[in-house]
């Protein structure tokens, strides 16, 4: 432009890109006991009993809720832990992740 730079690049942006974050979601179903979901949220997401109960009820009423936001690797681990724990107890509870 007409700013005396004669078309020469005068600025270089050095980009420090944050890694993408992933939401971990818990899905409702008709069979998993409410207390089991509360236990899962306490055990794997470090939530207090009150917070866990609140999120469980949100999922029960609305179908889905975000239970936390993590790096890809941590989100992947949480999902695997929840899915394995639910399967081991023969509950159909579903846990997934999606890019924020
Ligand atoms: N809907 C289940 C019931 O009535 C409870 C439930 C809540 C299941 C949250 C899954 O992610 C869930 N027993």
């Amino acid at each position: 432009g007409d700013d005396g730079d004669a078309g020469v690049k005068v600025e270089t942006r050095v980009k420090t890109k944050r890694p993408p974050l992933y939401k971990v979601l818990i899905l409702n179903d008709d069979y998993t006991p409410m207390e089991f979901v509360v236990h899962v949220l306490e055990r794997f997401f470090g939530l207090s009993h009150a917070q866990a109960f609140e999120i469980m009820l949100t999922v029960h009423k609305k179908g889905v809720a975000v239970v936390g936001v993590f790096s890809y690797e941590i989100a992947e681990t949480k999902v695997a832990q929840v899915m394995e724990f639910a399967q081991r107890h023969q509950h159909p509870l579903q846990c997934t992740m999606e890019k924020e």
Side-chain angles (χ1 to χ4, degrees), residues 13-31:
R13 189 155 65 101
V14 180
K15 206 167 187 181
T16 59
K17 207 170 169 196
R18 288 184 300 273
L21 293 174
Y22 291 80
K23 298 182 282 197
V24 171
L25 306 144
I26 294 275
L27 307 183
N28 189 37
D29 66 73
D30 293 339
Y31 304 103

Side-chain angles (χ1 to χ4, degrees), residues 26-34 37 56 59-60 93-94:
I26 294 275
L27 307 183
N28 189 37
D29 66 73
D30 293 339
Y31 304 103
T32 304
M34 290 183 171
V37 179
M56 180 282 295
V59 178
H60 179 69
L93 180 64
Q94 295 292 309

Side-chain angles (χ1 to χ4, degrees), residues 41-92:
L41 296 178
E42 292 178 292
R43 178 173 178 144
F44 296 111
F45 298 93
L47 300 179
S48 70
H49 189 77
Q51 287 174 319
F53 195 89
E54 196 174 300
I55 291 177
M56 180 282 295
L57 265 193
T58 299
V59 178
H60 179 69
K61 288 190 277 193
K62 305 216 170 184
V64 61
V66 176
V67 300
V69 178
F70 308 97
S71 69
Y72 183 88
E73 197 173 346
I74 300 294
E76 200 185 34
T77 301
K78 300 280 183 199
V79 170
Q81 286 173 330
V82 171
M83 294 302 287
E84 186 184 326
F85 191 69
Q87 274 194 293
R88 181 150 70 81
H89 290 85
Q90 302 192 329
H91 294 310

